[in-house]
Amino acid sequence: MNKIKLSSQNMSNLRFKAVEEAFKKKAVPSQTPAQITSEYYGKYVFGKEQMTKYLSKETLKALLGVIDKGETLNRDLASHVAAGMKMWAIEKGATHYTHWFQPLTGGTAEKHDSFIEYSGAPGTCVIEEFSGKLLAQQEPDASSFPSGGIRNTFEARGYTAWDPSSPAFIVDDTLCIPTVFISYTGEALDYKTPLLKSLNALDKAATDVCRYFDPSVKKVYAFLGWEQEYFLVDEGLYATRPDLMLTGRTLMGHESAKNQQLEDHYFGSIPTRVQAYMKDVEFEGYKYGIPLKTRHNEVAPNQFELAPIYGEMNLSVDQNLLMMSLMKKIARRHGFRLLLHEKPFAGVNGSGKHNNWSLGTDTGVGLLTPGKTAEENLQFITFVVNVLSAVYKNNALLKAAIMTAPNAHRLGANEAPPAIISIFLGTQISSVLDKLESSTSEEAIVMDAKKGMRLGIATIPEVLLDNTDRNRTSPFAFTGNRFEFRAVGSSANCATSLIALNSILAAQLKEFKHTVDSKMAAGASKDKAIFAVLKEYIKESKAIRFDGNGYGDEWKKEAAQRGLDCETSVPVIYDAYTKPETINMFESVGVLSERELHARNEVKWETYTKKIQIEARVLGDLTMNHIIPVATKYQSALLDNVYKMFQVCGQEKATKLSVHNTSIIEEISERISIMKTKVDEMIEARKVANKIENERAKAIEYHDKVLPYFAEIRYQVDELEMIIDDELWTLPKYRELLFVR
Ligand code: ADP
Ligand code: MG
């Protein structure tokens, strides 16, 4: 605590003030009422309970038809729903409403309008109005949202249209209506539109396959359980780190002597200030009917995780987006800043968002859950093998779906999934597939949660099926009753990866159905036909199965030999979206058109370029006006010391006594000179890149020519941090950012 006192001597150094303030902070009392959760759960959502209360029987029935069966929504129905929704919202204190949508910039967008309208001619008194038209559709001025060229600014029209399958909710004084966002010509300008289309395609394709096993299946649902990782940083410290404020991550900072090496943070006791924050986050989440279940410390200091119980995918995606924005807001109330960046700190773990993904039928069967009967097990194996096959063929696309400038810092580092997509199945499922591949007749697969797994007569070691067979290094792992896509970044909209996943599986299942049907038409029995096709798929897709250590360098070599995509340049990875086979795949399931795919890539490249551009500017600025001035100041103090030494001690003695200081003086000069040169070169590289018109080429130029300077400059800064007087250093250090709470 000694250093903290320095603030009185060094009032100009905001860093010490910030640390001192942060240490003094006490936990903010949580706002959670002394009520049991179920009493206020879902209070701010216009869910089924509220609908029953505020809608007539006929309206409710018709609306549920729209929600559950996908029936079309007519204007009349919309008007009736709008009336009920308005009444509920006003009673809850809402004065405004907004269409809440998910533009390609990430996050969510909203434009609030109040309910008031003149009751008659202009100037008459106002009344609260909310018509079916306003509920169902709006035309926000959308010219500043990215469209990748789909929507020219002179034709700025974009439409938002209500998604009745995700319930409306109230935040503060505003009724939020989840909507899709499309262009005047009908192309998707958001994530929700293709997500809904992919869910529809997957439902159709999976239902068709399920009917081989159970003809009564009418619908297949896709489920998502997300696990949100995040960092919290004291807001005073945050405010004195311009890199955190402007880019979401630290662009410089020497590793703390202690960080996560003792593994004492993961699952450790939650710090009090953080615990109070988590309680408030849960309280808010529950009000929105979000079934938050798990909270714990993560691996890195000041890193935490929040996860709900899984649910229907479209709703779960919306809930994650809502949670991210609530978490940000609540952090402020507790004197924290929430960091959702994938890699805010070098040298410690980054943040991901595992997407737990599974399918289930309207008859209550989990399609990725091993069953009890031979028939159920054949269905389970069918779905697992089709997932393998789909992921194998589209491993480059899945990587493109999770890749962003920030996530690239996390993937491939020794803590997160590697930048190569492979599947971990675990020993049990692997043995079943190996057995199936080599079996000659159609032996029944017996897999039982209690009895373990056997394949026909050949008994496979009877191990209980559970979740313990885990491999933390796999980007895509089977975990007992679901697949866990772990490569997804913490700040991502889950829909980006799920659109790809749902679509590739839908296309795969369609192909499977087609092949099985043609074998049956040629006289094969159903089981025989299914076995034959599965065997073929197992053989074909072998390269995607990898249960070993994904962090090792050997894996990189082996993966390349197996023909898996090993590209590491973010802008080049995006090319996977527009390969002819990918365009075919997306079009065959009706999720995204060629035009949309090209447009979305334009947006991705543009976003990449802008992120690197901003980081480069911040890095240059900080180096020039924080680091170099501080280094110079310290150097002057040393020069002064050496000079005086010579005055007092005479040449010979002073030379001896000043060895240490002289070498530091020289080191500072050398480092300053390298930094200055590199910053200048980086600015020149940016100038060259900025002249490039083509978005892809520009992003590649930023990746190849600008980005490499970051590490070189940072290295010099971090070395200086270790030799310069701590009292002079203006930027909060890693040990403060990561340990003060
Ligand atoms: P871990 O961190 O060990 O992976 P967690 O318990 O933190 O596990 O998170 C697991 C997530 O997976 C939770 O959101 C949970 O609801 C979800 N989940 C469990 N079963 C399924 C399933 N069948 N389909 C989708 N998600 C599931
Ligand atoms: Mg997990």
Side-chain angles (χ1 to χ4, degrees):
M1 298 284 277
N2 265 347
K3 283 287 177 206
I4 294 157
K5 294 226 178 66
L6 282 172
S7 63
S8 50
Q9 304 153 17
N10 193 350
M11 283 310 274
S12 64
N13 195 337
L14 291 174
R15 172 179 155 227
F16 292 108
K17 266 196 256 178
V19 173
E20 186 174 13
E21 292 290 314
F23 261 114
K24 279 196 283 195
K25 279 185 194 159
K26 295 254 176 339
V28 175
S30 151
Q31 299 195 338
T32 315
Q35 236 175 332
I36 48 175
T37 307
S38 53
E39 278 172 12
Y40 60 87
Y41 188 81
K43 181 172 143 186
Y44 284 109
V45 180
F46 196 61
K48 291 212 171 123
E49 197 187 316
Q50 287 75 5
M51 289 178 190
T52 316
K53 210 168 142 197
Y54 288 88
L55 302 179
S56 72
K57 265 204 188 105
E58 302 76 62
T59 305
L60 178 66
K61 190 163 165 253
L63 182 61
L64 291 181
V66 172
I67 296 170
D68 297 333
K69 300 197 195 97
E71 287 162 11
T72 45
L73 175 90
N74 62 40
R75 277 288 151 91
D76 217 30
L77 176 59
S79 300
H80 286 113
V81 178
M85 207 186 264
K86 183 189 78 179
M87 206 197 299
W88 168 75
I90 289 174
E91 275 179 30
K92 284 263 176 292
T95 51
H96 289 64
Y97 65 92
T98 181
H99 277 199
W100 185 79
F101 59 100
Q102 304 166 23
L104 297 173
T105 31
T108 51
E110 48 200 86
K111 170 187 160 249
H112 298 189
D113 283 306
S114 92
F115 285 124
I116 58 163
E117 294 288 349
Y118 286 128
S119 58
T124 51
C125 63
V126 297
I127 52 165
E128 272 81 15
E129 267 274 311
F130 185 54
S131 65
K133 192 165 166 281
L134 292 175
L135 166 66
Q137 190 177 311
Q138 273 194 5
E139 197 187 322
D141 173 20
S143 50
S144 23
F145 290 107
S147 71
I150 276 183
R151 201 203 44 240
N152 300 316
T153 23
F154 60 84
E155 196 200 66
R157 281 192 284 181
Y159 289 108
T160 51
W162 182 32
D163 164 23
S165 61
S166 181
F169 53 90
I170 298 171
V171 177
D172 300 327
D173 59 0
T174 305
L175 171 68
C176 301
I177 299 146
T179 57
V180 295
F181 180 38
I182 50 177
S183 75
Y184 181 57
T185 41
E187 277 100 357
L189 298 174
D190 68 346
Y191 291 109
K192 193 187 253 294
T193 309
L195 179 70
L196 290 170
K197 287 182 178 174
S198 76
L199 284 167
N200 202 13
L202 185 53
D203 167 23
K204 271 208 197 87
T207 303
D208 280 349
V209 170
C210 282
R211 287 199 182 129
Y212 282 139
F213 307 97
D214 177 359
S216 72
V217 171
K218 287 195 193 62
K219 191 170 168 68
V220 168
Y221 295 93
F223 299 110
L224 166 68
W226 44 265
E227 300 165 54
Q228 179 71 55
E229 293 182 339
Y230 60 96
F231 279 87
L232 289 173
V233 170
D234 180 84
E235 69 181 350
L237 295 169
Y238 173 93
T240 48
R241 287 289 310 217
D243 48 355
L244 266 186
M245 278 178 65
L246 299 178
T247 73
R249 73 172 176 122
T250 54
L251 296 167
M252 48 184 63
H254 197 282
E255 246 185 89
S256 163
K258 172 185 188 289
N259 49 45
Q260 64 189 37
Q261 62 273 62
L262 294 177
E263 293 173 352
D264 50 356
H265 192 252
Y266 191 55
F267 283 12
S269 70
I270 300 170
T272 8
R273 257 181 89 193
V274 177
Q275 172 98 23
Y277 165 73
M278 287 177 167
K279 266 182 107 149
D280 277 358
V281 164
E282 285 166 357
F283 170 53
E284 285 294 323
Y286 292 148
K287 287 198 293 195
Y288 294 101
I290 303 174
L292 301 170
K293 180 83 176 165
T294 310
R295 58 175 183 215
H296 60 78
N297 285 2
E298 259 302 327
V299 174
N302 272 357
Q303 191 189 25
F304 309 94
E305 182 185 297
L306 173 75
I309 305 172
Y310 71 97
E312 188 279 316
M313 187 178 286
N314 177 41
L315 179 58
S316 187
V317 168
D318 286 358
Q319 290 182 337
N320 178 249
L321 288 164
L322 177 58
M323 269 333 289
M324 289 198 286
S325 84
L326 291 174
M327 285 165 79
K328 242 180 238 166
K329 254 193 231 168
I330 298 165
R332 301 296 300 278
R333 197 153 77 216
H334 289 261
F336 286 124
R337 284 294 189 140
L338 175 76
L339 307 182
L340 289 176
H341 192 286
E342 280 75 2
K343 191 77 180 174
F345 305 101
V348 297
N349 276 16
S351 301
K353 178 151 53 197
H354 295 179
N355 279 197
N356 292 271
W357 175 74
S358 73
L359 306 173
T361 64
D362 58 343
T363 54
V365 174
L367 295 172
L368 296 172
T369 309
K372 290 198 180 60
T373 64
E375 194 74 353
E376 279 174 4
N377 279 326
L378 182 55
Q379 174 169 282
F380 162 68
I381 290 294
T382 297
F383 277 89
V384 168
V385 171
N386 274 288
V387 171
L388 278 185
S389 201
V391 174
Y392 167 63
K393 288 185 220 157
N394 297 282
N395 69 89
L397 171 67
L398 286 185
K399 188 161 80 185
I402 50 92
M403 195 49 88
T404 56
N407 207 17
H409 294 292
R410 170 181 166 256
L411 300 170
N414 262 6
E415 29 116 351
I420 300 164
I421 302 292
S422 64
I423 296 187
F424 168 85
L425 282 180
T427 44
Q428 289 194 322
I429 309 289
S430 298
S431 337
V432 172
L433 297 193
D434 293 344
K435 214 69 209 168
L436 189 59
E437 189 192 341
S438 59
S439 70
T440 43
S441 63
E442 66 269 29
E443 301 159 284
I445 304 171
V446 183
M447 238 179 310
D448 186 298
K450 293 231 170 57
K451 293 198 205 94
M453 256 186 283
R454 280 162 295 152
L455 183 74
I457 329 135
T459 314
I460 287 152
E462 294 193 10
V463 195
L464 287 188
L465 258 189
D466 65 9
N467 293 346
T468 54
D469 197 359
R470 290 200 161 193
N471 176 327
R472 287 279 162 193
T473 70
S474 178
F476 201 94
F478 180 73
T479 46
N481 59 358
R482 63 190 185 271
F483 280 95
E484 198 169 325
F485 197 8
R486 301 198 183 118
V488 182
S490 48
S491 70
N493 181 328
C494 297
T496 16
S497 53
L498 298 169
I499 291 164
L501 259 181
N502 295 342
S503 301
I504 63 172
L505 184 59
Q508 174 64 47
L509 290 170
K510 269 173 85 171
E511 187 190 308
F512 173 77
K513 172 92 171 45
H514 178 77
T515 321
V516 170
D517 281 353
S518 47
K519 280 196 193 303
M520 281 163 68
S525 74
K526 184 192 78 186
D527 279 6
K528 233 185 188 141
I530 292 175
F531 267 103
V533 181
L534 290 183
K535 270 172 76 165
E536 207 45 51
Y537 285 178
I538 293 172
K539 267 200 202 97
E540 266 169 28
S541 63
K542 256 201 182 138
I544 200 73
R545 280 160 61 186
F546 179 63
D547 284 8
N549 176 16
Y551 295 166
D553 277 333
E554 314 82 62
W555 170 232
K556 280 185 204 150
K557 267 187 236 140
E558 194 189 323
Q561 279 162 8
R562 290 186 183 195
L564 298 178
D565 188 277
C566 297
E567 180 59 58
T568 57
S569 161
V570 177
V572 179
I573 285 172
Y574 293 149
D575 288 345
Y577 268 108
T578 49
K579 279 190 211 143
E581 60 271 29
T582 311
I583 295 174
N584 264 342
M585 183 280 296
F586 274 121
E587 290 194 332
S588 77
V589 289
V591 175
L592 287 163
S593 69
E594 178 166 7
R595 187 165 135 88
E596 286 170 317
L597 286 164
H598 280 292
R600 295 166 91 88
N601 260 9
E602 292 288 306
V603 176
K604 282 175 192 275
W605 285 315
E606 207 183 318
T607 307
Y608 181 84
T609 295
K610 285 182 182 159
K611 289 219 157 143
I612 306 296
Q613 186 182 48
I614 293 169
E615 289 189 346
R617 287 178 181 162
V618 174
L619 180 60
D621 290 354
L622 279 182
T623 307
M624 297 309 293
N625 51 42
H626 272 249
I627 308 304
I628 293 183
V630 166
T632 311
K633 205 169 183 180
Y634 183 51
Q635 193 187 39
S636 304
L638 293 176
L639 280 167
D640 186 57
N641 172 283
V642 171
Y643 179 79
K644 285 174 181 159
M645 199 73 91
F646 276 84
Q647 303 298 306
V648 174
C649 306
Q651 175 104 13
E652 199 180 331
K653 206 168 173 195
T655 310
K656 235 193 213 160
L657 293 176
S658 303
V659 171
H660 173 66
N661 283 353
T662 321
S663 83
I664 296 184
I665 290 167
E666 281 171 16
E667 183 178 342
I668 290 175
S669 287
E670 280 160 20
R671 295 202 187 281
I672 286 180
S673 136
I674 300 175
M675 286 188 306
K676 174 77 174 77
T677 313
K678 295 287 171 195
V679 168
D680 287 345
E681 285 175 14
M682 182 168 71
I683 292 170
E684 285 312 309
R686 252 167 30 220
K687 281 186 189 156
V688 174
N690 290 343
K691 290 209 182 79
I692 302 175
E693 298 253 330
N694 177 286
E695 291 295 351
R696 179 178 179 276
K698 192 195 269 186
I700 290 175
E701 183 77 5
Y702 261 95
H703 174 273
D704 294 354
K705 301 285 167 57
V706 179
L707 187 63
Y709 284 107
F710 289 18
E712 293 183 48
I713 296 168
R714 177 183 187 141
Y715 176 75
Q716 301 301 328
V717 174
D718 292 357
E719 288 297 305
L720 283 174
E721 187 185 318
M722 295 314 276
I723 55 169
I724 285 172
D725 184 358
D726 183 59
E727 206 182 324
L728 297 176
W729 202 257
T730 53
L731 299 173
K733 296 185 170 180
Y734 268 31
R735 61 167 187 254
E736 291 149 355
L737 293 167
L738 287 168
F739 288 93
V740 177
R741 56 178 82 113

